[in-house]
Amino acid sequence: MKVVVLGAGVIGVTHAYYLAKAGHEVTVIDRQAAAAMETSHANAGQISPGYSAPWAAPGIPVKAMKWLTQKHAPLKLHPQMDITMWKWMVQMLANCSEAAYAVNKERMMRLAEYSRDCFIDLRAELGIRYNDRQQGTLQMFRTEQQVAASKKDIEVLERCNVPYEVLDMDACIAKEPALARVRNKFVGGLRLPGDETGDCFEFTQKLATLTEGLGVKYLFNTDIKALQQRDGRISAVQTSQGAIEADAFVVAMGSYSPFLLADVGVKVPVYPVKGYSLTVPITNADAAPVSTVMDETYKVAITRFEDRIRVAGTAELSGYNLELREPRRETIAMVVSDVFPDGGDVSQAEFWTGLRPMTPDGTPIVGKTGIANLFINTGHGTLGWTMSCGSGKLLADIISQTKTDIDPTGLDVTRYPQ
Ligand SMILES: Cc1cc2nc3c(=O)[nH]c(=O)nc-3n(C[C@H](O)[C@H](O)[C@H](O)COP(=O)(O)OP(=O)(O)OC[C@H]3O[C@@H](n4cnc5c(N)ncnc54)[C@H](O)[C@@H]3O)c2cc1C
């Protein structure tokens, strides 16, 4: 079957890999000159099934009110005259109940755990390397109050059979020796040994090259404009290079997916939640992290690549604006300098921003639509790389009409009113 994948971020490229492996003739279209040039470009570098949880959680509305008044808060709101944003926020608040959280968390864990297994298989099969490390992630607590609050997360980890380690400061330092320099700032940590780390951009680019070897064609520098319908099906996608016909179409355009889909009557409540990162050259490897260290106070993740430190965080609601705001840089620079003061040269860091394609319930949208040959793979929010392989393989199986390895119930767009 001829399948066109719209979008060459980590979601589109991993999906193209599984489609090509299943024997389909695949074309991937993107407006950028190469793969992973938008949100998949410089994320926090975590493959973290253990932390797959919706942001919409009990207690979040109260925390959010407090964060809005703090200088270095993890959440920033730039009120817009944008009805979509306000509707999305209302939907998100409606998902903060215990009951909704349990449903959403189960869906995300189902997909993320599966994705981790797909990742391991893909890596073994292709021998692909991407500054990857398999050394877990460590969430660091500055207060006993945070340690006490983590007990709720631990209950969830136990229910989902996710391995974890509760560590005192000596044990944290044994895993992350550079923390010895700042031991008085923290009281302990929670480690998820099954999590992995790496450079999502390098992963996606290398995978795109490997998929070309499987026959996948990439049409870069090509704007996707509209889907053309005929007899209740999608007949072609209209692009800046002309119309492209296929048997099936997959929308994987991240935060921009809703516009294209709305034109053919498919409503997806995906909204951009902006995040920022700094990529810092390492000046003293012994003073840098070994894997990912997350500072719970600021919700900032600090990840080790070979010769760089990636530090990322902030959830900003400000529409599709890609402005690099200096106060956000100050916050993440402050955190990396506080936790790993001698690790890198922050003055030489690259500053970046990306728009997380977020659903109000945290779960991505993966599956069929009401139009027989139109499929969606988007809305992966904070954990798109983590869930990429699982989403890609699941949807490839759905398109190929073969038995899926996991239950797809609750993952497609039918969970929202159409
Ligand atoms: C600061 C930050 C930190 C993060 N940290 C992590 C992490 O540690 N682990 C993790 O798993 N996830 C993380 N994420 C989330 C993850 O990066 C995203 O979920 C993921 O990159 C989304 O991938 P995507 O392919 O859906 O979107 P994108 O990468 O944005 O890809 C969409 C593609 O569609 C193309 N496109 C859009 N519109 C058009 C058009 N009209 N015409 C042509 N092409 C178009 C774009 O050019 C783009 O290439 C983080 C995100 C941010 C912002």
Side-chain angles (χ1 to χ4, degrees):
M1 184 156 65
K2 187 172 177 197
V3 187
V4 165
V5 177
L6 304 170
V10 69
I11 299 300
V13 172
T14 47
H15 183 44
Y17 166 68
Y18 290 108
L19 284 169
K21 256 184 62 151
H24 298 292
E25 189 188 323
V26 186
T27 302
V28 184
I29 307 177
D30 201 287
R31 60 185 166 198
Q32 298 290 346
M37 295 307 285
E38 298 206 2
T39 309
S40 308
H41 193 68
N43 69 22
Q46 290 174 263
I47 298 171
S48 188
Y51 280 108
S52 295
W55 277 4
I60 283 294
V62 175
K63 275 191 196 167
M65 295 308 283
K66 282 191 204 148
W67 284 332
L68 290 176
T69 59
Q70 292 169 5
K71 183 180 177 207
H72 292 304
L75 176 71
K76 293 284 165 186
L77 180 61
H78 290 266
Q80 315 271 309
M81 293 295 289
D82 179 357
I83 184 77
T84 316
M85 182 182 108
W86 294 106
K87 267 168 82 178
W88 185 90
M89 282 174 67
V90 169
Q91 280 176 289
M92 185 172 171
L93 289 174
N95 274 284
C96 288
S97 67
E98 293 277 0
Y101 180 80
V103 170
N104 298 332
K105 169 90 189 167
E106 184 282 321
R107 288 172 177 167
M108 291 179 75
M109 289 294 298
R110 191 187 338 144
L111 190 54
E113 292 271 304
Y114 174 55
S115 199
R116 193 248 340 272
D117 297 344
C118 294
F119 242 109
I120 293 170
D121 291 347
L122 180 148
R123 203 172 41 228
E125 202 170 304
L126 300 177
I128 184 172
R129 303 305 306 264
Y130 40 90
N131 271 271
D132 56 299
R133 293 181 175 214
Q134 290 76 42
Q135 300 191 45
T137 53
L138 179 61
Q139 185 180 15
M140 292 300 301
F141 304 120
R142 290 178 187 256
T143 65
E144 290 298 344
Q145 210 183 358
Q146 288 172 341
V147 175
S150 73
K151 297 216 162 67
K152 277 205 141 187
D153 296 334
I154 289 172
E155 282 168 21
V156 178
L157 294 173
E158 279 181 351
R159 269 204 305 279
C160 298
N161 289 320
V162 177
Y164 69 91
E165 297 162 1
V166 176
L167 305 182
D168 63 16
M169 268 321 284
D170 286 337
C172 289
I173 290 166
K175 295 293 176 195
E176 286 285 354
L179 291 177
R181 296 158 195 254
V182 292
R183 69 173 303 141
N184 295 335
K185 292 180 182 170
F186 295 98
V187 296
L190 174 63
R191 181 167 181 265
L192 300 188
D195 283 1
E196 302 191 356
T197 57
D199 184 342
C200 178
F201 171 67
E202 191 181 346
F203 170 82
T204 312
Q205 290 240 316
K206 285 190 172 166
L207 186 60
T209 304
L210 286 164
T211 58
E212 282 179 311
L214 296 174
V216 176
K217 291 196 184 74
Y218 286 87
L219 287 184
F220 288 118
N221 300 307
T222 305
D223 268 329
I224 297 157
K225 294 177 185 285
L227 294 167
Q228 288 174 0
Q229 275 181 291
R230 197 169 53 221
D231 303 329
R233 293 172 66 82
I234 303 299
S235 54
V237 58
Q238 227 180 312
T239 76
S240 53
Q241 309 289 331
I244 296 162
E245 295 184 349
D247 303 307
F249 297 82
V250 180
V251 178
M253 291 156 65
S255 296
Y256 299 86
S257 306
F259 304 112
L260 195 80
L261 288 164
D263 286 346
V264 291
V266 180
K267 291 188 203 143
V268 291
V270 170
Y271 196 77
V273 176
K274 190 174 176 183
Y276 296 85
S277 75
L278 282 175
T279 306
V280 184
I282 289 178
T283 45
N284 177 357
D286 293 339
V290 169
S291 188
T292 290
V293 170
M294 273 173 293
D295 188 328
E296 173 59 14
T297 304
Y298 302 101
K299 308 257 184 227
V300 165
I302 308 169
T303 298
R304 172 69 182 268
F305 296 163
E306 263 338 283
D307 54 357
R308 296 165 294 151
I309 301 169
R310 171 69 49 74
V311 44
T314 316
E316 188 180 283
L317 282 165
S318 56
Y320 288 82
N321 176 313
L322 284 170
E323 182 191 343
L324 285 164
R325 295 185 202 269
E326 199 48 37
R328 303 292 94 75
R329 181 193 176 105
E330 282 166 20
T331 296
I332 51 180
M334 179 279 289
V335 176
V336 70
S337 306
D338 193 56
V339 184
F340 295 102
D342 309 313
D345 183 353
V346 175
S347 72
Q348 297 300 312
E350 279 172 43
F351 191 29
W352 171 87
T353 185
L355 303 175
R356 301 175 185 93
M358 285 281 274
T359 59
D361 51 1
T363 310
I365 305 168
V366 183
K368 298 174 181 177
T369 67
I371 300 174
N373 64 340
L374 178 64
F375 301 86
I376 301 176
N377 194 359
T378 194
H380 294 75
T382 48
L383 287 168
W385 190 26
T386 301
M387 298 195 188
S388 59
C389 291
S391 305
K393 170 78 165 73
L394 174 69
L395 189 54
D397 287 343
I398 291 171
I399 292 172
S400 307
Q401 298 187 355
T402 54
K403 191 175 175 315
T404 57
D405 300 327
I406 57 164
D407 180 4
T409 308
L411 301 180
D412 70 20
V413 73
T414 56
R415 69 180 191 268
Y416 305 114
Q418 289 297 303

